[in-house]
Amino acid sequence: MEQIFVGNNNMNIDINIFKNNVDLSKQLTKEILEISEVAIARNGKATFILCGGTTPKFLYKKMSNLKLPWEKINITTSDEHCFTNDNSIRNDTVIKMNLLRGKATTAKFDNLPNIEKSDYFLFPIDLLILGLGIAGHIAGIFPDAIEKKELLYGLNPIYTVSSVLAKTKRVSCGLTTLIKAKNQYIYILGKEKLDILLTAFENDNFEEMPVRAFLRTAKIFWAPK
C-alpha cells in the first residue's frame, strides 16, 4: 500500500493506493476485523452499512471467511433498487450471494426498505463502505434526485429516490445518517473512478457531487483493477 497526499486551500486528504483489488481487499478485510472486534467488545454487536455493485464482490467473499461472531453483526445496504424484476442488480443480492456465506451465514441481514420504521438506526453504525458513481454520487444520493434536499439535509434515516441518473426507483439512507458512521471507507477501482474522485476534490459543493461530503471523514482505498 502507498499513500498519496492531495491538498487544496480547503482540505487535505490521503488516498491509499494498492497494486490491485486483491491487496486492497486484504488490507480492508484486516481493518474490518479490527473494527468488528472493538464494536462487539464494547456494545455486544456491530452494525454495517454496505454498498452494492460489482466492485465489492471480491471483498465480500474475503469478509465471509473472517472468524467473527457473525450472529452479533447486523448488515444492511446503503441504498436499494426497487420495483425491478431483475434481482441481479439489487444490492441485497450482491450481499447475499457474496457475503452471507461461509462463516458469515449467521449474520443478520435487513433489507433496507423493510427497516425504515424499525430501530435499526438507533444503534451506532460501526462500518460504512461506499462506492462512487459516475455522477459523483454515493449510495442513492444522486445530484439530480427530486428529493435531493431531503437526502442531503433531512433527518429521516431513509428516503425514496427519483432520479434519471439512477435509472430505477430506489430507496437510500440519507446523508445525515451515513455521515455518522464511525468508520467510513470509499472503495473504488479503475482510473475512471479515480478521475471522478479527483474532480470531486476541486471544491466543497456536495450538492453537485455528494461524495464531497465524505472527503474529510472517509478513508479512500483505490486500486487500478
Side-chain angles (χ1 to χ4, degrees), residues 131-143 165 170 196 208-211:
L132 174 60
I134 59 173
H137 65 275
I138 45 87
I141 306 176
F142 287 82
L165 292 170
R170 298 198 191 193
I196 294 168
E208 179 186 56
M209 296 183 77
V211 69

Side-chain angles (χ1 to χ4, degrees), residues 6-220:
V6 183
N8 64 21
N9 291 331
N10 297 315
M11 73 176 87
N12 301 308
I13 61 170
D14 293 316
I15 301 176
N16 298 281
I17 297 178
F18 297 84
K19 182 179 179 181
N20 50 48
N21 191 27
V22 173
D23 289 351
L24 185 158
S25 296
K26 182 178 179 180
Q27 177 61 31
L28 186 45
T29 300
K30 178 182 176 182
E31 295 189 19
I32 291 168
L33 176 63
E34 295 171 354
I35 289 166
S36 303
E37 290 175 338
V38 169
I40 292 169
R42 181 175 300 160
N43 301 314
K45 64 187 295 184
T47 299
F48 297 174
I49 297 181
L50 306 178
C51 62
T54 58
T55 296
K57 288 181 178 180
F58 181 79
L59 169 68
Y60 293 161
K61 289 174 181 176
K62 293 280 289 182
M63 286 173 60
S64 72
N65 292 316
L66 288 175
K67 294 181 179 179
L68 283 168
W70 283 98
E71 70 278 3
K72 297 180 180 179
I73 296 177
N74 296 333
I75 301 170
T76 192
T77 54
S78 58
D79 66 304
E80 188 56 87
H81 302 264
C82 298
F83 315 120
T84 175
N85 293 322
D86 184 3
N87 287 333
S88 66
I89 70 170
R90 289 178 59 89
N91 294 333
D92 58 4
T93 299
V94 173
I95 302 296
K96 291 173 182 176
M97 295 296 293
N98 297 280
L99 177 55
L100 302 183
R101 48 187 270 173
K103 295 182 174 65
T105 54
T106 57
K108 181 183 177 184
F109 179 79
D110 291 286
N111 185 274
L112 188 64
N114 294 339
I115 64 175
E116 184 171 3
K117 298 185 184 303
S118 77
D119 61 357
Y120 191 92
F121 295 104
L122 295 179
F123 298 97
I125 301 167
D126 299 293
L127 173 68
L128 172 66
I129 298 180
L130 295 170
L132 174 60
I134 59 173
H137 65 275
I138 45 87
I141 306 176
F142 287 82
D144 72 331
I146 294 172
E147 306 85 356
K148 182 169 71 172
K149 293 295 185 183
E150 290 84 357
L151 285 162
L152 293 176
Y153 302 108
L155 299 180
N156 292 338
I158 303 173
Y159 293 92
T160 58
V161 182
S162 305
S163 160
V164 173
L165 292 170
K167 297 182 180 178
T168 64
K169 192 78 174 180
R170 298 198 191 193
V171 293
S172 177
C173 294
L175 175 61
T176 58
T177 294
L178 297 175
I179 204 71
K180 295 176 184 176
K182 293 180 179 180
N183 300 279
Q184 306 168 10
Y185 293 86
I186 297 173
Y187 170 21
I188 55 176
L189 302 176
K191 183 179 183 300
E192 180 185 25
K193 294 297 179 74
L194 180 61
D195 288 343
I196 294 168
L197 182 72
L198 294 176
T199 298
F201 185 68
E202 291 175 359
N203 66 65
D204 292 339
N205 185 354
F206 61 87
E207 291 190 1
E208 179 186 56
M209 296 183 77
V211 69
R212 288 175 173 145
F214 291 89
L215 294 182
R216 287 186 173 89
T217 57
K219 281 189 174 182
I220 300 171

